[in-house]
Amino acid sequence: MHCDLIIIGAGPAGMAAAATAAQIGLTVVVLDEQPRPGGQIYRDVDRVAPLRGDILGRDFTEGTALTAGLDHPNIHHIAGAVVWSVEEAVSVHYTRAGQSHRVTGKRILLATGALERPMPLPGWTLPGVMTVGAGQIMLKQSGLVSARAVLVGAGPLLYLLAVQMLRAGAPPLALVETQTKGDALRAIRHVLGALHGWRDLRNGLAMLYELWRGGVPRYLAATDIAIEGAAHAEALRFVSGGKAHRIAAGSVFLHHGVVPNTQAARTIGIAHRWDAGQACFAPELDVWGQTAVKTVFIAGDGARIGGAKVARVAGALAALQIAQQLGRITAPQRDQKARSLVRRLQAERAIRPFLDAAYPPMAQALSPQDNTIVCRCEEVTAGDIRRSAQLGCLGPNQAKAFCRAGMGPCQGRYCGLTVSAVLAQENMRSMGETGYFRIRSPIKPVTLAELASAEDTQGHE
Amino acid sequence: MKTVSEFHSLNASTALVSVWYRGRRLDLPEGANLAAALLAVGITSFRETPVSGAPRGPYCMMGACFDCLVTIEGVTRQACMLEVSAGLRISSLADPQGGQDAL
Ligand SMILES: Cc1cc2nc3c(=O)[nH]c(=O)nc-3n(C[C@H](O)[C@H](O)[C@H](O)COP(=O)(O)OP(=O)(O)OC[C@H]3O[C@@H](n4cnc5c(N)ncnc54)[C@H](O)[C@@H]3O)c2cc1C
Ligand code: FES
């Protein structure tokens, strides 16, 4: 199969890019491993909005405008397509229903979104402990809500899930929040900027008010957090307000922010730099989202955390530049279309510095105690990583050889940032100097049988 | 194995189909997300880790953590990326039938 633009990810960034490119006349293939479009925020929105739109709110249901944009003769959306390899000379391999396929094109847009920041705490590998995003995915996609849940960490997504659970008639037992008074003071500097994003501020305050009215207890500036349980999460222990607390719970949902999912970009050598404000690695891009690998663009939370509205605008901007480079519009036409988008981008980004400062990653999870598991796949602890550093290990790629951290099937998605952070602390080097895991294809598992089937189908494509 | 679910379902009743989980018959909603459907009937541990044998269940629900791994027809799969269909035979990683592992 061949097209002008291959988009990986049918979230807001990918969907907006597809619609913009298709309207200009480009042929587009959109690949997403999910069975239906929407991405993380609008997960399964077409099917779910009529069922639970009241619980999930307008910020969810408005996603149907984007999914509707995929219905265009120039767009071929392939659902259930798990992308396992991206090549700069422009092709993408994916598996679908047990077969491997290849699409070729002229440009690739990576719109693979964010991952939740790793949150290694004692007991975080127990069944019953999940991410807040996972709790939300279950509520959205499957209509399941935990009966005895505690939400732990920091950030707007924590409040959003709590409010949605409240509306669903199953309020969480408590919110155990990790941001501190110092964080609030640091955030004040950004309040003026955030006022440009007053709608987001108002929504945030409305959520807090709804939680207060719903009687959901909030514990602030929590430290010394641990999940207890033998074969399943049974309780959460923590210290807040100078007192030790224990809450018996059946589910513990963790969250302290999202970070760009850089897996695909890293396999083709795209450079990433440490973003201190967002405490994550982000790919180096120009204003249109183009990488130094000229055939590959990145948009959305995979480029820089900005949320759904920013993702949508960034996707459209990337599509305009791609259309110009492929000779479908002139540079002045591109600029004319881009002007209002850039203004929107600035407005939608206004709240970010405030949020990043008000809800920073939790200190305990950035520097876990020695016996806390960091690499879930290989069960490598923070102590193992520190010992590697003491033996001379400077970077995460060496750590793989020293202690197997990052060697499992998740390819470091839920340990990479912690491994880098612990090594950086031990060696007293910066995150930029310490670097990140080298990632190689396949970024998703592919079986020999699926590969064998690729040869069979390629002739028909 | 825990069999009391930690989750409420907001769904109106949907058509159930039979699947086999570690040799036990379960009736799950057709087309539902497999990981969510197992959690909903009280199955919270999907596998034991190869290193220490610790129980693990779904963590991310978005195909990224690989903690929800199960074996279906000899192939290791992520339960959170699958839909329930009639007759699925799900076993744990420890007893794969055929041993066709992912690369
Ligand atoms: C679990 C989770 C829940 C979130 N919920 C909310 C929310 O409720 N409200 C909110 O404002 N923000 C939420 N966010 C933040 C979210 O990142 C942004 O709001 C927004 O969804 C980003 O849009 P995007 O288009 O960049 O990426 P996404 O919406 O994340 O879309 C990326 C898409 O890429 C696909 N993909 C990734 N890798 C591959 C691959 N290898 N092969 C095929 N497909 C692939 C994914 O299936 C996904 O559909 C959530 C984030 C996460 C991680
Ligand atoms: S729960 Fe994380 S991959 Fe399935």
Side-chain angles (χ1 to χ4, degrees):
Chain A
M1 196 187 302
H2 187 80
C3 64
D4 291 319
L5 172 59
I6 308 166
I7 299 178
I8 307 172
M15 291 190 289
T20 305
Q23 279 156 20
I24 297 172
L26 276 71
T27 53
V28 184
V29 170
V30 182
L31 303 169
D32 196 299
E33 59 190 335
Q34 288 299 324
R36 283 167 292 271
Q40 300 311 348
I41 176 164
Y42 307 128
R43 174 73 80 119
D44 221 348
V45 62
D46 293 332
R47 192 180 60 86
V48 173
L51 297 176
R52 300 183 264 287
D54 50 337
I55 292 171
L56 297 169
R58 218 176 68 91
D59 284 343
F60 175 74
T61 55
E62 68 188 12
T64 52
L66 279 166
T67 54
L70 290 180
D71 187 14
H72 188 288
N74 288 346
I75 301 177
H76 185 29
H77 169 222
I78 306 178
V82 183
V83 172
W84 57 270
S85 164
V86 174
E87 285 158 19
E88 62 173 292
V90 184
S91 70
V92 171
H93 292 266
Y94 65 92
T95 52
R96 185 171 187 275
Q99 287 203 333
S100 188
H101 304 265
R102 191 171 90 121
V103 198
T104 57
K106 300 191 175 101
R107 291 288 184 280
I108 295 171
L109 176 68
L110 303 178
T112 52
L115 294 172
E116 272 169 279
R117 181 188 295 283
M119 199 161 164
L121 297 174
W124 75 309
T125 54
L126 283 169
V129 183
M130 302 173 88
T131 68
V132 162
Q136 219 200 12
I137 287 169
M138 283 197 294
L139 176 55
K140 285 177 187 165
Q141 188 172 37
S142 306
L144 289 184
V145 54
S146 171
R148 298 184 307 133
V150 182
L151 276 51
V152 184
L157 213 50
L158 207 69
Y159 301 140
L160 181 59
L161 178 61
V163 163
Q164 290 168 339
M165 291 176 71
L166 183 63
R167 289 184 200 149
L173 301 175
L175 259 63
V176 176
E177 301 181 39
T178 55
Q179 73 280 0
T180 63
K181 280 219 178 70
D183 299 327
L185 288 174
R186 272 184 290 278
I188 283 178
R189 288 196 285 140
H190 303 286
V191 149
L192 276 181
L195 289 178
H196 293 287
W198 59 272
R199 273 194 203 84
D200 298 306
L201 276 183
R202 189 192 55 190
N203 287 350
L205 291 173
M207 284 197 290
L208 289 179
Y209 177 67
E210 199 172 335
L211 292 176
W212 174 78
R213 228 188 26 190
V216 178
R218 291 177 61 200
Y219 296 88
L220 301 180
T223 59
D224 304 284
I225 299 176
I227 301 133
E228 286 182 355
H232 191 273
E234 288 163 22
L236 186 85
R237 273 190 193 282
F238 59 97
V239 174
S240 167
K243 274 206 293 259
H245 300 265
R246 182 180 187 277
I247 302 176
S251 306
V252 176
F253 294 113
L254 304 177
H255 177 84
H256 63 158
V258 295
V259 297
N261 175 359
T262 58
Q263 300 297 116
R266 286 181 185 279
T267 61
I268 45 173
I270 290 168
H272 289 70
R273 70 187 153 69
W274 178 250
D275 178 333
Q278 298 203 325
C280 62
F281 287 101
E284 286 185 21
L285 307 170
D286 72 5
V287 290
W288 304 99
Q290 192 168 24
T291 71
V293 177
K294 292 298 173 198
T295 50
V296 180
F297 286 66
I298 307 179
D301 271 7
R304 189 162 202 279
I305 302 306
K309 295 202 171 94
V310 171
R312 183 174 174 164
V313 181
L317 283 172
L320 289 178
Q321 175 70 340
I322 290 165
Q324 192 271 323
Q325 288 181 352
L326 299 183
R328 307 302 168 76
I329 52 174
T330 63
Q333 283 171 326
R334 173 201 66 193
D335 294 343
Q336 193 249 328
K337 286 177 193 285
R339 210 159 291 138
S340 64
L341 292 175
V342 170
R343 268 198 304 276
R344 256 177 61 200
L345 197 64
Q346 282 157 356
E348 300 293 0
R349 276 194 181 141
I351 185 96
R352 254 323 120 173
F354 173 77
L355 290 180
D356 292 339
Y359 301 106
M362 184 207 185
Q364 182 191 349
L366 293 183
S367 182
Q369 295 104 305
D370 274 349
N371 55 2
T372 303
I373 288 178
V374 167
C375 166
R376 301 172 61 92
C377 297
E378 298 288 336
E379 303 187 271
V380 181
T381 65
D384 295 331
I385 296 164
R386 290 195 178 101
R387 273 187 293 282
S388 302
Q390 283 148 19
L391 292 173
C393 173
L394 290 175
N397 294 302
Q398 271 179 301
K400 286 187 185 177
F402 273 93
C403 63
R404 294 195 61 80
M407 297 282 279
C410 97
Q411 294 185 308
R413 285 172 175 88
Y414 288 105
C415 74
L417 282 173
T418 321
V419 171
S420 295
V422 171
L423 289 175
Q425 290 152 19
E426 279 307 292
N427 293 316
M428 293 195 285
R429 302 209 310 165
S430 69
M431 285 296 273
E433 286 168 322
T434 304
Y436 193 80
F437 287 131
R438 218 170 8 251
I439 307 295
R440 292 202 177 84
S441 295
I443 54 169
K444 289 282 168 114
V446 50
T447 62
L448 288 173
E450 286 164 338
L451 281 179
S453 70
E455 259 87 59
D456 300 335
T457 53
Q458 234 146 60
H460 308 290
E461 280 179 342
Chain B
M1 190 181 296
K2 265 173 81 88
T3 45
V4 180
S5 176
E6 286 292 342
F7 295 90
H8 288 310
S9 174
L10 306 174
N11 295 316
S13 57
T14 38
L16 299 180
V17 292
S18 295
V19 306
W20 293 91
Y21 180 81
R22 290 188 172 188
R24 179 176 144 203
R25 205 189 96 177
L26 297 174
D27 294 322
L28 303 180
E30 184 164 26
N33 180 285
L34 177 61
L38 291 174
L39 289 173
V41 296
I43 293 172
T44 55
S45 169
F46 289 23
R47 67 184 182 103
E48 289 78 40
T49 59
V51 183
S52 74
R56 286 287 170 87
Y59 174 69
C60 74
M61 290 300 283
M62 56 181 278
C65 74
F66 294 78
D67 264 327
C68 65
L69 294 178
V70 293
T71 302
I72 293 177
E73 284 160 18
V75 186
T76 303
R77 306 285 301 269
Q78 293 163 288
C80 73
M81 302 299 287
L82 292 174
E83 291 184 358
V84 172
S85 60
L88 268 188
R89 284 181 177 274
I90 307 150
S91 54
S92 72
L93 291 192
D95 49 284
Q97 322 135 328
Q100 189 192 50
D101 264 328
L103 290 181

